Amino acid sequence: MQPLLQHPQFAGSWRMLVAMLLSGTIGLFVVESGQDTATVVFYRCLLGGAALLAYLSWQRGWQKLSAQQSGYLLAGGFALVANWFCLFGAYKLSSISIATLVYHTQPFFLLLLTAFGTKQWPPAAKWGWLALAFVGVAGTTGLGQDQHNPLLWQGVGLAAVAACLYAVATLTTRKLTGVAPAQIAGLQMVLGVLLMLPLEKTSLLLMPALSVGALVTLGLVHTGLMYNLMYSAFQRLPVTSIAFLSFVYPLLTVLIDFWYYDLTLSWSQYGGMALIVLALIAHQRNWLVRPRHH
């Protein structure tokens, strides 16, 4: 039997697992920073971009981009930063776990955008799972039962918009084959800094130590380190392994909400979250509903 450390997928698996564990704690650090969304996004871009570009320079991985590549990078960067802006806002309006699970409908937005762009329509079963996922999204709002958080549906809506934007960022980034991941992400962070400059933000000097620590962690660990681990894992693992390990992210956010924030959900919200997870598993494992033949 081949030792675990020598397994061909081990190098990618541990990187992906660590990246997903880090992803699952992003919402906690965003909320605990106590800062507005523009401030959080700005410092994540500033610190994360600096770390990524410093790493790229150390690796001597800079590449000259064509005009077309630059266009894809800019489009992807705008979508990525806007996606963070929407997702971080969703955390505060709903909850970390609900926003994250709704955000994980992104494979279906990717499916929709790809289908409309290429005119290659997926099997009917895929559309069925898509419909089930959006029924689940509706269920996570509590269907009007949550009187303590009337802004919950707005958080769910923002998370869905974030998922769509992330799908756009994924499609454009896939066009940048052969370009170092740190260069793609690092330059997109630079774009994020420029986009956030006109908005009102809080200076690090005026924040309590806890807020500064949360933002520095988001920038250096959840952006600089995590992006390098995640992109490196993508290059080593098959799609099925990436899809399976990706479920660590939303499951950890649910546990954090239950243990750290004492989250209480209605039965319709439990049901909605379960439908999203079922639809995602079915989509990623290509479950097809086949009629019986007699």
Side-chain angles (χ1 to χ4, degrees):
M1 186 175 178
Q2 189 176 32
L4 176 63
L5 294 178
Q6 296 178 13
H7 192 279
Q9 290 190 23
F10 179 77
S13 295
W14 78 259
R15 285 173 169 82
M16 187 68 184
L17 180 59
V18 173
M20 291 302 97
L21 288 171
L22 290 174
S23 294
T25 61
I26 287 175
L28 175 65
F29 280 87
V30 169
V31 173
E32 290 302 306
S33 74
Q35 300 302 310
D36 61 272
T37 303
T39 298
V40 175
V41 174
F42 174 76
Y43 285 112
R44 187 180 185 188
C45 289
L46 180 66
L47 298 171
L52 285 162
L53 295 179
Y55 174 79
L56 181 71
S57 298
W58 177 63
Q59 291 285 310
R60 298 183 178 180
W62 281 97
Q63 297 170 249
K64 186 176 181 180
L65 302 179
S66 67
Q68 185 181 50
Q69 287 177 318
S70 298
Y72 283 129
L73 189 141
L74 288 172
F78 181 83
L80 183 65
V81 173
N83 136 78
W84 285 353
F85 203 90
C86 292
L87 181 61
F88 294 170
Y91 287 153
K92 298 174 183 178
L93 289 170
S94 54
S95 73
I96 297 171
S97 58
I98 288 176
T100 301
L101 281 168
V102 173
Y103 183 62
H104 269 71
T105 57
Q106 56 192 254
F108 294 112
F109 285 106
L110 193 60
L111 178 74
L112 284 169
L113 291 172
T114 302
F116 283 117
T118 63
K119 305 301 182 185
Q120 295 178 356
W121 306 104
K126 290 282 189 180
W127 297 108
W129 297 125
L130 170 64
L132 186 66
F134 285 112
V135 170
V137 170
T140 59
T141 66
L143 302 176
Q145 298 173 18
D146 191 347
Q147 301 301 319
H148 300 291
N149 187 4
L151 297 178
L152 178 63
W153 67 271
Q154 293 184 25
V156 169
L158 273 177
V161 172
C164 185
L165 288 166
Y166 189 80
V168 173
T170 300
L171 286 174
T172 53
T173 300
R174 283 173 63 87
K175 300 288 187 180
L176 298 170
T177 53
V179 181
Q183 181 172 350
I184 298 171
L187 292 177
Q188 287 176 338
M189 296 305 100
V190 172
L191 175 63
V193 170
L194 296 176
L195 290 172
M196 292 295 110
L197 278 179
L199 301 181
E200 185 175 347
K201 301 169 291 295
T202 305
S203 169
L204 288 175
L205 299 176
L206 300 178
M207 295 181 197
L210 180 63
S211 295
V212 174
L215 293 179
V216 169
T217 303
L218 281 168
L220 299 183
V221 178
H222 291 95
T223 306
L225 175 61
M226 192 186 81
Y227 269 70
N228 273 312
L229 287 172
M230 191 162 55
Y231 285 159
S232 181
F234 287 169
Q235 295 169 351
R236 289 175 165 86
L237 293 174
V239 174
T240 51
S241 297
I242 292 171
F244 179 75
L245 289 169
S246 293
F247 279 99
V248 173
Y249 173 14
L251 291 177
L252 183 58
T253 61
V254 172
L255 290 176
I256 288 173
D257 255 356
F258 277 118
W259 292 342
Y260 195 86
Y261 292 110
D262 296 322
L263 179 69
T264 301
L265 299 176
S266 68
W267 283 109
S268 65
Q269 289 172 306
Y270 281 120
M273 292 164 75
L275 289 179
I276 292 173
V277 172
L278 173 61
L280 286 170
I281 293 174
H283 167 67
Q284 292 176 335
R285 296 189 68 84
N286 290 314
W287 290 352
L288 298 177
V289 179
R290 294 184 177 89
R292 281 187 167 184
H293 298 286
H294 297 283

PDB file of all heavy atoms in Angstrom, residues 184-204:
ATOM      1  N   ILE A 184      -2.048  37.191 -11.008  1.00  0.00           N
ATOM      2  CA  ILE A 184      -3.467  37.454 -11.275  1.00  0.00           C
ATOM      3  C   ILE A 184      -4.132  38.047 -10.042  1.00  0.00           C
ATOM      4  O   ILE A 184      -4.721  39.125 -10.083  1.00  0.00           O
ATOM      5  CB  ILE A 184      -4.193  36.158 -11.693  1.00  0.00           C
ATOM      6  CG1 ILE A 184      -3.612  35.601 -12.990  1.00  0.00           C
ATOM      7  CG2 ILE A 184      -5.696  36.420 -11.858  1.00  0.00           C
ATOM      8  CD1 ILE A 184      -4.121  34.219 -13.332  1.00  0.00           C
ATOM      9  N   ALA A 185      -4.037  37.322  -8.916  1.00  0.00           N
ATOM     10  CA  ALA A 185      -4.696  37.769  -7.694  1.00  0.00           C
ATOM     11  C   ALA A 185      -4.099  39.072  -7.175  1.00  0.00           C
ATOM     12  O   ALA A 185      -4.826  39.967  -6.722  1.00  0.00           O
ATOM     13  CB  ALA A 185      -4.602  36.678  -6.626  1.00  0.00           C
ATOM     14  N   GLY A 186      -2.758  39.194  -7.237  1.00  0.00           N
ATOM     15  CA  GLY A 186      -2.109  40.399  -6.733  1.00  0.00           C
ATOM     16  C   GLY A 186      -2.520  41.646  -7.484  1.00  0.00           C
ATOM     17  O   GLY A 186      -2.824  42.688  -6.882  1.00  0.00           O
ATOM     18  N   LEU A 187      -2.560  41.579  -8.818  1.00  0.00           N
ATOM     19  CA  LEU A 187      -2.981  42.738  -9.609  1.00  0.00           C
ATOM     20  C   LEU A 187      -4.461  43.033  -9.425  1.00  0.00           C
ATOM     21  O   LEU A 187      -4.888  44.194  -9.458  1.00  0.00           O
ATOM     22  CB  LEU A 187      -2.645  42.503 -11.083  1.00  0.00           C
ATOM     23  CG  LEU A 187      -1.152  42.487 -11.427  1.00  0.00           C
ATOM     24  CD1 LEU A 187      -0.934  42.173 -12.903  1.00  0.00           C
ATOM     25  CD2 LEU A 187      -0.493  43.825 -11.068  1.00  0.00           C
ATOM     26  N   GLN A 188      -5.267  41.992  -9.220  1.00  0.00           N
ATOM     27  CA  GLN A 188      -6.684  42.220  -8.932  1.00  0.00           C
ATOM     28  C   GLN A 188      -6.864  42.926  -7.593  1.00  0.00           C
ATOM     29  O   GLN A 188      -7.778  43.743  -7.434  1.00  0.00           O
ATOM     30  CB  GLN A 188      -7.431  40.882  -8.958  1.00  0.00           C
ATOM     31  CG  GLN A 188      -7.608  40.323 -10.372  1.00  0.00           C
ATOM     32  CD  GLN A 188      -8.253  38.969 -10.396  1.00  0.00           C
ATOM     33  OE1 GLN A 188      -8.235  38.226  -9.417  1.00  0.00           O
ATOM     34  NE2 GLN A 188      -8.832  38.601 -11.536  1.00  0.00           N
ATOM     35  N   MET A 189      -5.991  42.634  -6.636  1.00  0.00           N
ATOM     36  CA  MET A 189      -6.042  43.334  -5.348  1.00  0.00           C
ATOM     37  C   MET A 189      -5.675  44.811  -5.515  1.00  0.00           C
ATOM     38  O   MET A 189      -6.247  45.686  -4.866  1.00  0.00           O
ATOM     39  CB  MET A 189      -5.087  42.685  -4.338  1.00  0.00           C
ATOM     40  CG  MET A 189      -5.422  41.257  -3.941  1.00  0.00           C
ATOM     41  SD  MET A 189      -7.090  41.031  -3.303  1.00  0.00           S
ATOM     42  CE  MET A 189      -7.916  40.376  -4.751  1.00  0.00           C
ATOM     43  N   VAL A 190      -4.706  45.092  -6.397  1.00  0.00           N
ATOM     44  CA  VAL A 190      -4.336  46.486  -6.684  1.00  0.00           C
ATOM     45  C   VAL A 190      -5.549  47.229  -7.249  1.00  0.00           C
ATOM     46  O   VAL A 190      -5.834  48.372  -6.860  1.00  0.00           O
ATOM     47  CB  VAL A 190      -3.159  46.545  -7.668  1.00  0.00           C
ATOM     48  CG1 VAL A 190      -2.903  47.989  -8.113  1.00  0.00           C
ATOM     49  CG2 VAL A 190      -1.897  45.965  -7.027  1.00  0.00           C
ATOM     50  N   LEU A 191      -6.271  46.581  -8.159  1.00  0.00           N
ATOM     51  CA  LEU A 191      -7.489  47.178  -8.705  1.00  0.00           C
ATOM     52  C   LEU A 191      -8.494  47.439  -7.589  1.00  0.00           C
ATOM     53  O   LEU A 191      -9.148  48.487  -7.554  1.00  0.00           O
ATOM     54  CB  LEU A 191      -8.097  46.252  -9.759  1.00  0.00           C
ATOM     55  CG  LEU A 191      -9.449  46.687 -10.348  1.00  0.00           C
ATOM     56  CD1 LEU A 191      -9.310  48.007 -11.085  1.00  0.00           C
ATOM     57  CD2 LEU A 191      -9.999  45.605 -11.273  1.00  0.00           C
ATOM     58  N   GLY A 192      -8.612  46.480  -6.653  1.00  0.00           N
ATOM     59  CA  GLY A 192      -9.531  46.651  -5.533  1.00  0.00           C
ATOM     60  C   GLY A 192      -9.183  47.859  -4.684  1.00  0.00           C
ATOM     61  O   GLY A 192     -10.062  48.608  -4.241  1.00  0.00           O
ATOM     62  N   VAL A 193      -7.889  48.069  -4.443  1.00  0.00           N
ATOM     63  CA  VAL A 193      -7.445  49.245  -3.672  1.00  0.00           C
ATOM     64  C   VAL A 193      -7.871  50.531  -4.381  1.00  0.00           C
ATOM     65  O   VAL A 193      -8.385  51.467  -3.752  1.00  0.00           O
ATOM     66  CB  VAL A 193      -5.910  49.215  -3.487  1.00  0.00           C
ATOM     67  CG1 VAL A 193      -5.415  50.536  -2.904  1.00  0.00           C
ATOM     68  CG2 VAL A 193      -5.511  48.062  -2.569  1.00  0.00           C
ATOM     69  N   LEU A 194      -7.672  50.579  -5.701  1.00  0.00           N
ATOM     70  CA  LEU A 194      -8.037  51.774  -6.475  1.00  0.00           C
ATOM     71  C   LEU A 194      -9.550  52.006  -6.451  1.00  0.00           C
ATOM     72  O   LEU A 194     -10.007  53.149  -6.348  1.00  0.00           O
ATOM     73  CB  LEU A 194      -7.550  51.624  -7.918  1.00  0.00           C
ATOM     74  CG  LEU A 194      -6.029  51.538  -8.102  1.00  0.00           C
ATOM     75  CD1 LEU A 194      -5.679  51.287  -9.569  1.00  0.00           C
ATOM     76  CD2 LEU A 194      -5.354  52.817  -7.609  1.00  0.00           C
ATOM     77  N   LEU A 195     -10.336  50.928  -6.530  1.00  0.00           N
ATOM     78  CA  LEU A 195     -11.789  51.057  -6.507  1.00  0.00           C
ATOM     79  C   LEU A 195     -12.293  51.544  -5.149  1.00  0.00           C
ATOM     80  O   LEU A 195     -13.297  52.259  -5.063  1.00  0.00           O
ATOM     81  CB  LEU A 195     -12.447  49.708  -6.841  1.00  0.00           C
ATOM     82  CG  LEU A 195     -12.312  49.210  -8.285  1.00  0.00           C
ATOM     83  CD1 LEU A 195     -12.832  47.787  -8.404  1.00  0.00           C
ATOM     84  CD2 LEU A 195     -13.070  50.137  -9.238  1.00  0.00           C
ATOM     85  N   MET A 196     -11.600  51.154  -4.090  1.00  0.00           N
ATOM     86  CA  MET A 196     -12.032  51.515  -2.737  1.00  0.00           C
ATOM     87  C   MET A 196     -11.542  52.891  -2.286  1.00  0.00           C
ATOM     88  O   MET A 196     -12.051  53.440  -1.308  1.00  0.00           O
ATOM     89  CB  MET A 196     -11.530  50.464  -1.733  1.00  0.00           C
ATOM     90  CG  MET A 196     -12.161  49.092  -1.854  1.00  0.00           C
ATOM     91  SD  MET A 196     -13.937  49.095  -1.461  1.00  0.00           S
ATOM     92  CE  MET A 196     -14.609  48.819  -3.100  1.00  0.00           C
ATOM     93  N   LEU A 197     -10.558  53.459  -2.997  1.00  0.00           N
ATOM     94  CA  LEU A 197      -9.989  54.744  -2.560  1.00  0.00           C
ATOM     95  C   LEU A 197     -11.019  55.860  -2.384  1.00  0.00           C
ATOM     96  O   LEU A 197     -10.952  56.610  -1.406  1.00  0.00           O
ATOM     97  CB  LEU A 197      -8.893  55.190  -3.550  1.00  0.00           C
ATOM     98  CG  LEU A 197      -7.509  54.558  -3.358  1.00  0.00           C
ATOM     99  CD1 LEU A 197      -6.547  55.068  -4.430  1.00  0.00           C
ATOM    100  CD2 LEU A 197      -6.959  54.853  -1.966  1.00  0.00           C
ATOM    101  N   PRO A 198     -11.984  56.027  -3.312  1.00  0.00           N
ATOM    102  CA  PRO A 198     -12.931  57.148  -3.142  1.00  0.00           C
ATOM    103  C   PRO A 198     -13.909  56.971  -1.972  1.00  0.00           C
ATOM    104  O   PRO A 198     -14.532  57.943  -1.538  1.00  0.00           O
ATOM    105  CB  PRO A 198     -13.708  57.151  -4.477  1.00  0.00           C
ATOM    106  CG  PRO A 198     -12.905  56.322  -5.420  1.00  0.00           C
ATOM    107  CD  PRO A 198     -12.204  55.323  -4.574  1.00  0.00           C
ATOM    108  N   LEU A 199     -14.066  55.741  -1.462  1.00  0.00           N
ATOM    109  CA  LEU A 199     -15.043  55.474  -0.407  1.00  0.00           C
ATOM    110  C   LEU A 199     -14.476  55.827   0.961  1.00  0.00           C
ATOM    111  O   LEU A 199     -13.274  55.757   1.196  1.00  0.00           O
ATOM    112  CB  LEU A 199     -15.460  54.005  -0.434  1.00  0.00           C
ATOM    113  CG  LEU A 199     -16.083  53.496  -1.738  1.00  0.00           C
ATOM    114  CD1 LEU A 199     -16.477  52.030  -1.610  1.00  0.00           C
ATOM    115  CD2 LEU A 199     -17.303  54.334  -2.125  1.00  0.00           C
ATOM    116  N   GLU A 200     -15.359  56.191   1.864  1.00  0.00           N
ATOM    117  CA  GLU A 200     -14.946  56.551   3.223  1.00  0.00           C
ATOM    118  C   GLU A 200     -14.524  55.294   3.978  1.00  0.00           C
ATOM    119  O   GLU A 200     -15.232  54.285   3.995  1.00  0.00           O
ATOM    120  CB  GLU A 200     -16.098  57.232   3.954  1.00  0.00           C
ATOM    121  CG  GLU A 200     -15.720  57.755   5.320  1.00  0.00           C
ATOM    122  CD  GLU A 200     -16.845  58.523   5.980  1.00  0.00           C
ATOM    123  OE1 GLU A 200     -17.823  58.848   5.291  1.00  0.00           O
ATOM    124  OE2 GLU A 200     -16.745  58.772   7.199  1.00  0.00           O
ATOM    125  N   LYS A 201     -13.350  55.348   4.609  1.00  0.00           N
ATOM    126  CA  LYS A 201     -12.805  54.204   5.325  1.00  0.00           C
ATOM    127  C   LYS A 201     -12.228  54.665   6.656  1.00  0.00           C
ATOM    128  O   LYS A 201     -11.905  55.836   6.830  1.00  0.00           O
ATOM    129  CB  LYS A 201     -11.702  53.518   4.501  1.00  0.00           C
ATOM    130  CG  LYS A 201     -12.171  53.019   3.137  1.00  0.00           C
ATOM    131  CD  LYS A 201     -11.020  52.604   2.255  1.00  0.00           C
ATOM    132  CE  LYS A 201     -10.166  53.787   1.814  1.00  0.00           C
ATOM    133  NZ  LYS A 201     -10.896  54.746   0.951  1.00  0.00           N
ATOM    134  N   THR A 202     -12.085  53.729   7.578  1.00  0.00           N
ATOM    135  CA  THR A 202     -11.508  54.023   8.886  1.00  0.00           C
ATOM    136  C   THR A 202     -10.014  53.733   8.866  1.00  0.00           C
ATOM    137  O   THR A 202      -9.594  52.673   8.378  1.00  0.00           O
ATOM    138  CB  THR A 202     -12.182  53.169   9.981  1.00  0.00           C
ATOM    139  OG1 THR A 202     -13.589  53.380   9.942  1.00  0.00           O
ATOM    140  CG2 THR A 202     -11.655  53.538  11.358  1.00  0.00           C
ATOM    141  N   SER A 203      -9.212  54.623   9.386  1.00  0.00           N
ATOM    142  CA  SER A 203      -7.763  54.424   9.446  1.00  0.00           C
ATOM    143  C   SER A 203      -7.420  53.348  10.476  1.00  0.00           C
ATOM    144  O   SER A 203      -8.074  53.237  11.523  1.00  0.00           O
ATOM    145  CB  SER A 203      -7.069  55.734   9.827  1.00  0.00           C
ATOM    146  OG  SER A 203      -5.713  55.510  10.140  1.00  0.00           O
ATOM    147  N   LEU A 204      -6.404  52.560  10.175  1.00  0.00           N
ATOM    148  CA  LEU A 204      -5.943  51.553  11.128  1.00  0.00           C
ATOM    149  C   LEU A 204      -5.521  52.191  12.452  1.00  0.00           C
ATOM    150  O   LEU A 204      -5.650  51.583  13.519  1.00  0.00           O
ATOM    151  CB  LEU A 204      -4.758  50.773  10.537  1.00  0.00           C
ATOM    152  CG  LEU A 204      -5.054  49.782   9.398  1.00  0.00           C
ATOM    153  CD1 LEU A 204      -3.757  49.199   8.864  1.00  0.00           C
ATOM    154  CD2 LEU A 204      -5.987  48.676   9.856  1.00  0.00           C
TER     155      LEU A 204
END
